[in-house]
Amino acid sequence: MTTGTVIVTGGASGVGRALVGRLLDAGRTVVTCDIDEAGLKELAEEHQGRPLETQVRDVASHGECDTFMDAVLASHPDTDALVNNAGLYLGRPVWEYDDATIERV
């Protein structure tokens, strides 16, 4: 069994949430972040007692991303994987987005 900590961005819903569960099932420690505070709370309750940490962070912000990564790596020096899953789906084709929206997504 592989050990170590995995960081999953966008872990409150969808693919990220499913991946958090699979990684925990595989015996990994998971640190996840998302902008969805309620979703993270539900995720933490669902996996209570398992090695999961959640943080409300907006990784579209370089400052928040740096703060998050620094804190995780300081408290989990065994971190050996990152799943950069966070993203936004706004319900329209990507070619309709302006530059600011593309940067946010």
Side-chain angles (χ1 to χ4, degrees):
M1 176 184 298
T2 303
T3 60
T5 299
V6 179
I7 300 167
V8 179
T9 65
S13 64
V15 171
R17 186 183 189 104
L19 185 56
V20 167
R22 294 288 301 261
L23 289 164
L24 291 168
D25 289 347
R28 303 299 294 264
T29 296
V30 179
V31 179
T32 189
C33 66
D34 205 296
I35 59 174
D36 179 3
E37 185 172 4
L40 286 175
K41 183 178 179 187
E42 290 175 8
L43 180 70
E45 289 171 358
E46 178 182 334
H47 294 289
Q48 188 173 7
R50 299 178 85 183
L52 171 66
E53 293 180 27
T54 63
Q55 294 187 30
V56 177
R57 299 286 182 168
D58 183 355
V59 294
S61 161
H62 293 283
E64 279 197 53
C65 189
D66 288 346
T67 300
F68 171 69
M69 292 299 294
D70 289 346
V72 172
L73 294 175
S75 62
H76 296 278
D78 65 336
T79 298
D80 59 1
L82 165 67
V83 179
N84 193 19
N85 171 72
L88 297 174
Y89 174 66
L90 302 176
R92 12 184 252 268
V94 70
W95 56 85
E96 292 180 5
Y97 296 166
D98 59 24
D99 289 345
T101 304
I102 289 289
E103 183 65 25
R104 178 74 182 136
V105 169

